[in-house]
Amino acid sequence: MARKRGPLKGGISPLFVVMCVIGFTFGYLIWFNSNDTNITQLKYSEFVTALKDGKVAEVEVDEQFVAGKFHNEEKKFYAFAVQNERLWTLLEKSGAAITVKPTDRQNWFFYFFLMLLLFSIIPLIFFFYAKQSQGGMGGGMGKIFNVGKSRAKFIPPNAIKVSFKDVAGLVEAKEELSDVIQFLKSPEKFSRLGAKIPRGILLSGDPGNGKTLLARAVAGEAKCPFFSISGSDFVEVFVGVGASRVRDLFTQAKRHTPCIVFIDELDTVGRQRGAGIGGGNDEREQTLNQLLSEMDGFSTEPGAVIVLAATNRVDVLDKALMRPGRFDRILNVPYPDITCRKHILEVHLKKVKLAKGVNVQTLAKGTPGCSGADLENLVNEAALAASKADKRAIEMIDFELARDKLFMGEERKTLVLSDSEKECTAYHEAGHTIVNMMLPEFTDPLHKVTITPRGRALGVSWFLPEADRHSEFQGRMEAYIKVALGGRIAEQLIFKEVSSGAMNDLENATEIARKMVCHYGMSNLGPISFGSRVRKGMAMQPEYSEATANKIDEEVSRIVIDAYKDAEEILKSETDKLHSLAKELLEKETLFANEVYDLLGVERRGQDKEQEDSQE
Ligand code: ADP
Ligand code: MG
Ligand code: ZN
């Protein structure tokens, strides 16, 4: 989680501070002068009379005036007076307690003012220092004196309400972490038998898959103190600041054992040393070294500080971080599979109001490649869509809208397409869809086809897998290329002309073909991998010869051209279907799979078939 800096804190200008200090000083001076209503001014003659009558208890004598108190009276007085022999004789005779003031009040005010100014300048200097050390990003008065202090957020035990229940899936990671939780709950049970528990655990996985969530859940389950900091909080312009922050963090943590220190985005400090441009970055290296030595330091002590860290770039981390005693356990936090997506959706759907027909399984199926954060976002977008439409509960169609928006961008209502552009798009999409439908064994079933422009796309044919797949077969890859080319072929067949709209399709088709040749050994070049590159001098070069490179290119284009011909055959023999689907699309813009099946008289597939079967 990125730490956000409040706009107010960042917005305090030094000028504002100076104005405040000066304002307060003047304010105080004026108050000091006027506030004393307890003091009355006497005429010199009145003062002398009072003195002679023995009414005066104390007198303070200055160059220009006398001030003091009467007996039996709270009130103070003062009077302007000139110091001379006569006054002194009177004073000495009166029996009042006399003090002589060495400096006059004017001077005293002056010094007071000077001191205030001085004291206000010192923090200002700190302020500028702190501001600079954050790369000009702000920071505020609160941080002025904290340059070398860790910025870790301290969360006391029981304050975290997240538990393993809130983390769907991630079974393996949770299992490993439950050992750590056991340990944090009762460390003596482990140390008694001499069992060692890993000190450092690294959570690795792409953003949004629940690393931060998991770390918080561990703290919530173990009910122990939790220090949370982001790697970027260590990184400073000034050499030594980051290192001292690390030291401070661990000093604090050791006072609260057993506890968890969570370093999010570890890669910002933990990059390989000496790898930066210009030979590396002194400050970051110092910070990293400090972190390494802290992690070594407590591995022998009984008090337990468990360090959890998260990163989505394990590959760039300094290898020293992964040595035994440091982050020697790496837990994967992968993209959720279909069952896990279902669980994640269930977690987040609990917080909203659902209509009857919402099928979580279908939603899970329809969101391949989505991270946990994407799914949370999907639920939220659907709730927004339903609220906008004044609905009582979220319906399936709201999820459909939300997913379209998330995957493809906002609907472009203002985009005005000419009739010929629309027609071209309709035939293009119909081309994809029909090629797909005619290759049922090798393709994913249709979900829907639309010519409503969204984001950068003018239209889309959606095909959704029935289940997650972890490997692909050659037949499926070839079919994928055919479907991708179907759009372009339809344009060519109907209009005898092609548009730029197929750019993405061609890219995808070519990329798959190249992978088939170079990585999967699915070509006439045989089961050889042509992937790796080797360093030759300064440049990275392929490991194979120029002649092989030419052969690879030939094979790639052969695969694409063959696929093109096959798909062309399909569309030529199904031109009727192509026309009727394109016409229907121009009319209705969006067609769901069963509508397409009905229109074309094609047998239903996948989920639509299941539904039909169960209705009968
Ligand atoms: P990361 O730290 O890996 O980038 P986060 O932990 O910040 O990801 O996840 C972002 C949000 O996505 C979480 O707050 C949570 O709402 C949701 N999320 C991600 N994975 C899961 C999961 N396995 N179960 C439930 N919610 C999840
Ligand atoms: Mg995170
Ligand atoms: Zn296309």
Side-chain angles (χ1 to χ4, degrees):
M1 232 189 297
R3 275 165 47 93
K4 294 202 180 77
R5 298 199 165 88
L8 240 183
K9 274 188 163 181
I12 295 177
S13 80
L15 192 68
F16 177 73
V17 177
V18 173
M19 300 271 279
C20 275
V21 168
I22 292 176
F24 274 124
T25 313
F26 273 114
Y28 182 68
L29 287 182
I30 290 165
W31 172 79
F32 189 84
N33 272 334
S34 64
N35 172 279
D36 220 347
T37 49
N38 230 7
I39 192 161
T40 44
Q41 188 183 353
L42 298 182
K43 291 189 177 117
Y44 180 68
S45 55
E46 288 170 336
F47 168 65
V48 171
T49 318
L51 204 60
K52 279 182 181 159
D53 294 351
K55 284 184 188 161
V56 178
E58 294 169 16
V59 186
E60 210 178 280
V61 186
D62 206 316
E63 264 180 68
Q64 287 159 10
F65 63 88
V66 290
K69 252 163 66 177
F70 294 119
H71 286 297
N72 318 321
E73 236 179 297
E74 272 300 289
K75 268 203 163 162
K76 291 180 193 162
F77 66 84
Y78 74 95
F80 290 105
V82 186
Q83 281 196 45
N84 55 24
E85 283 290 313
R86 236 183 79 73
L87 177 63
W88 274 105
T89 334
L90 274 175
L91 280 170
E92 277 161 15
K93 262 200 246 164
S94 73
I98 301 166
T99 10
V100 182
K101 265 201 116 185
T103 49
D104 63 29
R105 254 159 103 93
Q106 214 96 50
N107 267 345
W108 189 78
F109 277 142
F110 177 73
Y111 285 123
F112 176 73
F113 185 71
L114 208 71
M115 290 286 270
L116 260 181
L117 213 67
L118 221 77
F119 275 116
S120 65
I121 281 171
I122 293 168
L124 267 180
I125 292 167
F126 269 100
F127 181 82
F128 282 121
Y129 176 74
K131 206 170 157 75
Q132 252 186 19
S133 71
Q134 282 156 21
M137 280 185 62
M141 294 297 285
K143 286 178 191 148
I144 290 173
F145 299 106
N146 279 334
V147 177
K149 290 264 168 66
S150 108
R151 300 235 196 104
K153 231 189 295 161
F154 172 73
I155 305 172
N158 296 319
I160 294 181
K161 297 289 173 238
V162 183
S163 73
F164 271 179
K165 268 204 326 289
D166 304 302
V167 186
L170 301 178
V171 181
E172 291 94 350
K174 278 198 222 167
E175 210 157 278
E176 287 260 350
L177 287 169
S178 58
D179 290 352
V180 175
I181 292 165
Q182 285 299 319
F183 173 73
L184 285 167
K185 275 184 172 164
S186 45
E188 55 305 327
K189 202 166 74 186
F190 284 74
S191 55
R192 206 171 43 212
L193 297 176
K196 283 207 181 107
I197 205 80
R199 301 289 170 152
I201 296 175
L202 187 60
L203 304 171
S204 148
D206 284 319
N209 282 331
K211 299 183 293 294
T212 309
L213 183 71
L214 199 55
R216 294 176 62 83
V218 172
E221 290 277 334
K223 300 198 174 29
C224 67
F226 187 68
F227 293 86
S228 158
I229 194 164
S230 169
S232 56
D233 287 335
F234 292 125
V235 180
E236 295 290 340
V237 179
F238 283 91
V239 175
V241 172
S244 91
R245 281 194 182 146
V246 173
R247 209 175 308 124
D248 187 62
L249 170 64
F250 280 91
T251 316
Q252 283 185 43
K254 278 176 207 162
R255 271 187 227 134
H256 292 89
T257 53
C259 71
I260 295 176
V261 168
F262 176 54
I263 306 175
D264 211 346
E265 292 157 53
L266 180 68
D267 43 294
T268 43
V269 267
R271 269 170 199 268
Q272 221 158 338
R273 283 164 292 186
I277 298 161
N281 171 335
D282 259 1
E283 160 61 4
R284 218 197 50 227
E285 278 184 21
Q286 272 197 18
T287 310
L288 177 56
N289 287 336
Q290 186 65 39
L291 182 63
L292 292 174
S293 79
E294 291 289 353
M295 292 203 64
D296 283 343
F298 58 75
S299 67
T300 51
E301 292 163 20
V305 179
I306 299 280
V307 188
L308 289 181
T311 180
N312 48 2
R313 294 299 309 274
V314 180
D315 52 316
V316 301
L317 289 185
D318 198 291
K319 293 292 167 287
L321 272 170
M322 268 90 96
R323 258 187 234 135
R326 294 169 184 164
F327 294 106
D328 47 8
R329 295 270 178 107
I330 300 185
L331 300 186
N332 250 330
V333 183
Y335 278 102
D337 62 8
I338 186 162
T339 15
C340 187
R341 285 201 300 274
K342 190 174 166 209
H343 292 313
I344 295 177
L345 282 166
E346 277 161 357
V347 167
H348 294 290
L349 287 175
K350 255 189 240 149
K351 302 169 199 161
V352 297
K353 199 154 186 298
L354 288 185
K356 275 250 159 55
V358 174
N359 184 336
V360 187
Q361 180 70 30
T362 313
L363 289 178
K365 209 182 265 186
T367 44
C370 279
S371 68
D374 292 333
L375 295 172
E376 185 184 14
N377 202 1
L378 177 79
V379 173
N380 187 46
E381 284 289 342
L384 281 177
S387 329
K388 268 192 221 158
D390 270 335
K391 287 184 191 169
R392 289 243 182 103
I394 310 172
E395 293 165 13
M396 210 56 186
I397 188 73
D398 299 312
F399 286 101
E400 193 70 35
L401 286 173
R403 194 180 47 179
D404 281 355
K405 187 173 161 192
L406 291 181
F407 276 63
M408 325 243 318
E410 278 292 348
E411 194 174 313
R412 295 180 62 184
K413 294 205 171 95
T414 53
L415 189 72
V416 181
L417 294 175
S418 68
D419 283 349
S420 68
E421 269 177 317
K422 249 191 169 150
E423 210 183 355
C424 185
T425 309
Y427 274 96
H428 179 106
E429 296 308 331
H432 286 308
T433 300
I434 289 182
V435 175
N436 169 283
M437 285 184 153
M438 295 302 132
L439 297 167
E441 311 143 74
F442 300 111
T443 56
D444 293 326
L446 179 72
H447 173 64
K448 72 174 176 187
V449 48
T450 172
I451 55 167
T452 307
R454 263 179 195 281
R456 286 169 53 213
L458 296 180
V460 192
S461 312
W462 277 80
F463 310 108
L464 285 177
E466 285 297 279
D468 287 351
R469 264 191 307 276
H470 307 288
S471 63
E472 292 281 10
F473 289 98
Q474 184 169 357
R476 285 189 57 91
M477 290 193 204
E478 284 167 355
Y480 181 92
I481 298 175
K482 289 173 197 168
V483 174
L485 295 173
R488 153 63 59 101
I489 297 167
E491 290 178 32
Q492 173 72 40
L493 283 179
I494 305 299
F495 305 106
K496 312 287 177 228
E497 197 177 22
V498 291
S499 77
S500 64
M503 178 178 116
N504 237 324
D505 296 334
L506 301 186
E507 259 172 34
N508 290 343
T510 314
E511 192 192 317
I512 297 260
R514 187 164 286 278
K515 277 192 179 150
M516 286 171 70
V517 177
C518 295
H519 299 297
Y520 309 138
M522 293 176 183
S523 76
N524 294 338
L525 296 183
I528 299 162
S529 172
F530 298 108
S532 53
R533 285 158 165 259
V534 287
R535 192 178 281 278
K536 275 190 192 154
M538 286 297 282
M540 298 295 280
Q541 284 186 0
E543 233 174 355
Y544 40 82
S545 67
E546 195 105 334
T548 311
N550 286 336
K551 276 194 213 150
I552 290 173
D553 293 339
E554 271 168 32
E555 274 299 289
V556 171
S557 57
R558 180 191 61 81
I559 290 174
V560 176
I561 302 281
D562 282 358
Y564 190 96
K565 282 181 191 149
D566 285 356
E568 198 175 22
E569 277 314 304
I570 294 174
L571 285 178
K572 270 182 180 162
S573 59
E574 304 290 348
T575 318
D576 295 347
K577 290 198 172 79
L578 187 62
H579 279 301
S580 62
L581 180 53
K583 296 243 160 68
E584 189 78 359
L585 272 175
L586 281 169
E587 191 136 318
K588 297 211 176 127
E589 286 211 345
T590 301
L591 293 173
F592 283 91
N594 47 6
E595 296 173 294
V596 178
Y597 294 130
D598 290 348
L599 176 77
L600 303 181
V602 180
E603 200 198 336
R604 293 184 180 211
R605 284 173 65 191
Q607 201 181 339
D608 292 308
K609 185 168 162 53
E610 281 162 32
Q611 275 173 6
E612 194 183 41
D613 290 348
S614 63
Q615 275 162 16
E616 281 164 5

